[in-house]
Amino acid sequence: METNYETIVIGGGVVGSGIAYHLSERYKEGVLVLDKKYPMSGTSGSTQAWVWVHNKTPSWYAEFSMYSAELYPYLSKKIGDVEYKRTGGLSPFFNESDREKAQKLAESYRKIGIKIKVLSREEVLEKEPYMNPEVAGATYSSIDGNVNPFRLIDMYMRAAKRNGVRYSTYNRVTEIRQVNGKYLVVSDKGAFECKNLILAGGTWSREIGDMLGVKIPVNQLRGQILVSEPLKPFLNFTISGLRQANNGEVLMGYSMEEAGFNRATTLDVIQETANMAVRYVPGLRKAKIVRAFSGIRAMPEDGFPILGNVPGYENLYVAATHSGVTLSPLIGTLITELIMDGETSIPIDRYSLSRFG
Amino acid sequence: MNKLDKTTIICRCEEISCEEVEEVISNGGRTFDDVKRITRCGMGPCQAKICTSMVAEIIHQQTGLSPSEIPLPRMRMPLSPIKLETLATNSTSFSAVKSVLDEVELEEGKVR
Ligand SMILES: Cc1cc2nc3c(=O)[nH]c(=O)nc-3n(C[C@H](O)[C@H](O)[C@H](O)COP(=O)(O)OP(=O)(O)OC[C@H]3O[C@@H](n4cnc5c(N)ncnc54)[C@H](O)[C@@H]3O)c2cc1C
């Protein structure tokens, strides 16, 4: 295998593969993606995969997410069907007291052009007849949706490879050195040299940063999901908490726990998730659960994406974020612009690693 | 196992053929879970109880890895399908599970 590349991406999840693909659209120099396992073995293979905008706060972060959601229809055209569906998103609430909060949210979004409706009980039930009639209301936005994360990454990889990107999988990076203004990336299958190095190691970003003495403050946050047998299509929207996939399976869950890298599923959270699901959609009671899975979110210390140049290092870039599925087309586009043009079409200073001091 | 040909169905639940499994491995996949994520082989109701050994055999044939080097699929609760209501406890207090709107915080009466 070639050992000299213009650009190396460490990590082939939705973020790394998204960057590699977007780079390959504009850039025919050598790009190599290294992954210690296979690209869906990290968080990107165990996610709800909502493309979610509404309820993200502050509103500048919602706006950022919106730009990414806007790219999805084009992405599907370019790389193939990734089962992206702009279903619209519903976030139900069960206490009338939450209505005021919902209205405040809608107000703060109006300024940036994201339309959120605050629905009455009747309006929720009209949109989503299987929702619990005890619901008090919901926020609704038409821009939200979901995607099949496996198809998304597979398509990114296929399209990137067609454009000349190389993948080296089951190949762990163990050491990174700067040599003559370049980066030497030492891996299980040999050493590779590159000019541009992109760190997209998701929840392992901290340890990859350490290889260069760069502090990337990303923590772990476990989430557990239940998956039902395929059911006839009956849910219309991406409901914050559950969604129905193309094949009829319902994915349920929205949980956060500090459990380090422990990817077990646990009965207590499974039970809570079941309680949440039957509270939202009582008709699911009789649905059979086929499996539970868990994933480890990459959670930057302040919750927001870490994107862009690594301060003090030339040609070194980092992309580590939660909500990587929502953000991947935008992150791919912006990191490509940064490398090719030296600037981005949307400012990303706010997301710089330098904010952590 | 030499009787497998390209069209042999490996995963009956999801109707995944031998050819589809082989393609994942030729693209760099090495474990059952890699095959599972890309093809859905083993994601159906039987939860990989039927296809595990056949997939292992294909991985072995294509990569030369010995059976002991091929990790088993990650087994998932509840192992065989059960009704959601069996798992529910009807409690309405939540700790790890959140509502998205709960995460929206107000500061001085305004959204952060
Ligand atoms: C339960 C759950 C639900 C979620 N729901 C959503 C959602 O609805 N919408 C949304 O947008 N996001 C959601 N997320 C978050 C989203 O899944 C992640 O933000 C996204 O998958 C992160 O992608 P990534 O490419 O950064 O990380 P990963 O997919 O983890 O990729 C990182 C890659 O780096 C590789 N790697 C690490 N170290 C090394 C090394 N030393 N050498 C070589 N390779 C290495 C790993 O093998 C891995 O493949 C959810 C997450 C969880 C856990």
Side-chain angles (χ1 to χ4, degrees), chain A residues 274 278 284-287, chain B residues 82-89:
Chain A
V278 298
L284 281 169
R285 280 193 161 278
K286 303 282 173 202
Chain B
I82 54 172
K83 286 189 183 139
L84 186 64
E85 65 184 0
T86 313
L87 292 167
T89 63

Side-chain angles (χ1 to χ4, degrees), chain A residues 52-322:
Chain A
W52 195 261
V53 176
H54 106 271
N55 328 85
K56 294 255 168 85
T57 56
S59 55
W60 48 258
Y61 182 47
E63 186 177 2
F64 196 67
S65 305
M66 173 182 72
Y67 293 135
S68 201
E70 293 288 17
L71 292 173
Y72 259 99
Y74 305 102
L75 183 68
S76 304
K77 290 222 167 75
K78 289 191 293 185
I79 67 175
D81 183 11
V82 294
E83 295 177 12
Y84 168 67
K85 291 184 307 248
R86 191 171 284 181
T87 54
L90 271 179
S91 291
F93 52 87
F94 287 82
N95 293 315
E96 202 46 49
S97 59
D98 278 334
R99 186 173 303 279
E100 191 194 323
K101 195 195 240 181
Q103 264 148 1
K104 293 249 161 72
L105 187 75
E107 224 168 87
S108 79
Y109 277 26
R110 201 163 300 134
K111 297 184 196 114
I112 50 167
I114 301 175
K115 291 198 196 88
I116 298 184
K117 281 194 193 137
V118 182
L119 306 181
S120 67
R121 176 179 165 276
E122 290 70 29
E123 287 169 322
V124 178
L125 294 173
E126 198 176 303
K127 279 195 166 2
E128 198 68 284
Y130 285 89
M131 187 79 94
N132 188 347
E134 284 171 22
V135 73
T139 55
Y140 166 75
S141 145
S142 60
I143 196 172
D144 301 308
N146 63 70
V147 64
N148 178 334
F150 305 114
R151 293 214 32 120
L152 175 61
I153 296 162
D154 196 27
M155 289 305 199
Y156 267 146
M157 284 166 58
R158 285 171 194 267
K161 284 182 187 172
R162 273 199 304 277
N163 290 346
V165 172
R166 301 289 300 267
Y167 269 78
S168 179
T169 51
Y170 285 97
N171 192 5
R172 178 193 295 268
V173 173
T174 51
E175 196 187 328
I176 308 169
R177 269 180 288 164
Q178 285 179 288
V179 180
N180 305 327
K182 291 194 156 198
Y183 293 96
L184 187 74
V185 179
V186 183
S187 73
D188 287 347
K189 297 183 185 169
F192 302 94
E193 207 180 70
C194 63
K195 174 174 160 232
N196 306 314
L197 180 62
I198 303 169
L199 311 180
T203 197
W204 296 276
S205 294
R206 221 181 251 274
E207 75 180 49
I208 294 172
D210 283 345
M211 295 178 193
L212 277 162
V214 177
K215 188 167 178 266
I216 308 174
V218 168
N219 297 326
Q220 290 73 38
L221 213 48
R222 182 166 72 189
Q224 301 190 35
I225 307 286
L226 296 178
V227 186
S228 79
E229 64 189 334
L231 303 168
K232 73 169 177 27
F234 76 112
L235 292 175
N236 302 319
F237 295 90
T238 306
I239 303 171
S240 61
L242 49 97
R243 71 168 175 108
Q244 189 166 25
N246 278 16
N247 69 351
E249 287 179 341
V250 179
L251 277 78
M252 311 158 211
Y254 190 65
S255 65
M256 314 263 175
E257 303 159 87
E258 278 175 33
F261 285 97
N262 180 350
R263 250 176 95 170
T265 49
T266 59
L267 189 58
D268 55 340
V269 176
I270 288 177
Q271 286 175 328
E272 271 195 26
T273 301
N275 290 339
M276 181 271 288
V278 298
R279 184 188 202 199
Y280 283 16
V281 182
L284 281 169
R285 280 193 161 278
K286 303 282 173 202
K288 288 214 172 110
I289 297 303
V290 175
R291 69 181 165 278
F293 70 79
S294 90
I296 312 294
R297 292 184 177 80
M299 190 57 82
E301 231 157 50
D302 62 0
F304 298 110
I306 303 176
L307 297 176
N309 297 99
V310 175
Y313 289 77
E314 240 175 277
N315 306 322
L316 182 66
Y317 305 86
V318 57
T321 185
H322 71 290

